[in-house]
Amino acid sequence: MQALHIHAGPKALAHIREHGLRPEHVGVIPAAAGGPKGLILGPLDRFIFGEWLAQSSQPVDLVGASIGAWRMSTACLNDPVAAFEELENAYIQQHYEVLPGQKKVTAQQVSDAFGANLTRFYGGRIDQVLNHPRYRLHIVTSHGRHILRREHPVATPLGYAGAFLSNALHRPALGGWLERVVFSGKEHPLPFDASDFRTLQARLNEGNFMPALQASCSIPFALKAVHDIPGAPTGAYWDGGITDYHLHLNWIAPTQGPERAIVLYPHFQKNVVPGWLDKALKWRHGATSFLDNTIVLTPNPEWVKTLPNGKLPDRNDFMTYEHDFAGRVKVWQAAVQASAQLAQEFSQWLAAPSLLKVQAL
């Protein structure tokens, strides 16, 4: 069964028709939030960053939220293939024991363990991430406003309830509760038009890389917010997927010529959902003109059914396998091993990029 589906916006489709797809055509790579689902993209990440993009020399903007921020930061390390394997193992081996006297794992416990994990992973290597000669890293976070400015046991749930209702009425209204703060290295401009939503940009540096990355991965109520990140507005920062779940952004690309015209998006599903609070709002799941230059690489839904449990790894597996750590590890490893087929099929398509295998986004 074919594992890989390729979807393209109208401009990206025209580009493939005229130029095919070469590594020098790529200007932006987004990476979505989505927790364990991102594991399925490991083999694609290793191929794209370890082999394919290495054949070109142009700058590429890497934009990530949550696990996507972890993936894109990893792509900036000196040996991305080994680093992605390390990330995969670190993520799969996450395990949280309920402490004596508690009924469940606390958000503080998860945050502490996750922060220690990030420190082990990037310790001594942050300079590699920030000084990559080609890749321009952008880490997306969600910054609380007003009642959400500080994390609080009562105010925070009320604030997120208000955010949910406001977002359901009008996505820009979510900006009254949360704003997008993007941490970018070396004052690189954003590779998207940020007028769609309240947005601030902060300089990513050695002193704030770790808290910014942890904030981008801090799911509300599952982890604690990260407060007062150096070099950015004070207050609480949460998972970048809250404001930008799948980075459905107005990507800026040249209007003439093939160079840096393409946004290449390895993703775990066809739909590019704007924000985490839009997951249930199906009318916001369709493609817009924002994605006209985008090529989305995604697993075939029928192929996904052949994976263990008939689905991608997800956060519910932590509860399903709460008392069977080895069972969860086995299931996730099997899914990742199977996803090597995605990278193989993409490599084969690049050698002869047939439009017959490309679907409209």
Side-chain angles (χ1 to χ4, degrees):
M1 180 183 295
Q2 191 80 9
L4 179 69
H5 277 181
I6 302 173
H7 302 270
K11 292 181 180 179
L13 190 62
H15 175 100
I16 295 169
R17 183 179 295 112
E18 184 174 355
H19 304 287
L21 183 63
R22 296 184 52 79
E24 59 266 25
H25 298 165
V26 175
V28 181
I29 297 182
K37 295 184 182 74
L39 291 170
I40 209 75
L41 304 173
L44 271 173
D45 286 338
R46 290 194 284 274
F47 169 71
I48 289 170
F49 290 102
E51 299 181 38
W52 190 60
L53 274 182
Q55 301 171 36
S56 61
S57 59
Q58 82 284 5
V60 182
D61 287 287
L62 310 182
V63 185
S66 199
I67 191 176
W70 193 355
R71 287 172 49 221
M72 293 301 94
S73 298
T74 300
C76 297
L77 292 172
N78 288 347
D79 185 348
V81 173
F84 276 120
E85 290 174 348
E86 186 182 349
L87 182 158
E88 184 178 290
N89 183 65
Y91 201 99
I92 289 174
Q93 295 295 329
Q94 288 182 91
H95 184 53
Y96 307 102
E97 293 280 358
V98 177
L99 298 176
Q102 296 179 343
K103 295 182 179 180
K104 63 178 182 179
V105 175
T106 67
Q108 187 65 61
Q109 183 183 346
V110 177
S111 287
D112 290 345
F114 184 69
N117 198 8
L118 290 181
T119 298
R120 285 191 296 270
F121 192 91
Y122 290 105
R125 301 195 289 181
I126 295 175
D127 63 317
Q128 295 178 27
V129 177
L130 299 179
N131 297 304
H132 195 280
R134 296 180 58 196
Y135 299 152
R136 301 170 173 176
L137 179 64
H138 308 269
I139 295 176
V140 181
T141 67
S142 302
H143 177 235
R145 304 185 66 221
H146 307 304
I147 194 174
L148 290 175
R149 190 166 183 80
R150 314 297 299 186
E151 191 170 31
H152 186 274
V154 176
T156 298
L158 290 175
Y160 272 102
F164 178 84
L165 293 173
S166 297
N167 179 76
L169 293 172
H170 188 46
R171 173 165 157 78
L174 176 63
W177 306 86
L178 293 154
E179 61 189 352
R180 173 195 295 144
V181 176
V182 185
F183 291 84
S184 303
K186 293 186 177 179
E187 299 181 349
H188 294 309
L190 295 176
F192 56 89
D193 180 351
S195 61
D196 66 313
F197 191 80
R198 184 182 176 91
T199 303
L200 298 173
Q201 189 178 23
R203 174 74 179 270
L204 187 66
N205 56 47
E206 187 97 18
N208 64 19
F209 171 77
M210 294 300 294
L213 182 56
Q214 176 149 355
S216 187
C217 299
S218 292
I219 303 166
F221 311 113
L223 288 86
K224 301 294 288 182
V226 176
H227 285 83
D228 303 333
I229 298 176
T234 59
Y237 288 79
W238 282 281
D239 195 304
I242 303 300
T243 55
D244 294 284
Y245 190 40
H246 294 163
L247 303 166
H248 194 132
L249 300 169
N250 188 8
W251 302 106
I252 298 171
T255 57
Q256 296 181 356
E259 187 176 2
R260 300 194 75 226
I262 293 299
V263 177
L264 182 66
Y265 194 170
H267 194 17
F268 44 78
Q269 64 179 51
K270 173 186 175 182
N271 295 330
V272 182
V273 180
W276 187 72
L277 299 176
D278 297 318
K279 288 195 295 182
L281 309 181
K282 301 297 184 182
W283 61 90
R284 293 186 185 169
H285 292 193
T288 70
S289 61
F290 285 9
L291 306 179
D292 282 357
N293 287 82
T294 302
I295 297 173
V296 177
L297 309 177
T298 182
N300 173 3
E302 294 303 312
W303 174 82
V304 169
K305 294 177 182 178
T306 69
L307 298 178
N309 299 321
K311 66 178 185 64
L312 300 176
D314 61 40
R315 286 202 302 126
N316 292 329
D317 292 336
F318 283 111
M319 292 169 279
T320 302
Y321 294 93
E322 183 178 5
H323 303 294
D324 185 10
F325 171 66
R328 176 178 62 77
V329 169
K330 182 179 179 180
V331 164
W332 283 12
Q333 287 178 335
V336 171
Q337 289 168 2
S339 67
Q341 187 178 346
L342 298 170
Q344 293 165 0
E345 291 180 7
F346 183 49
S347 176
Q348 293 166 359
W349 180 81
L350 288 169
S354 169
L355 287 174
L356 297 176
K357 294 186 177 181
V358 182
Q359 304 174 49
L361 184 61

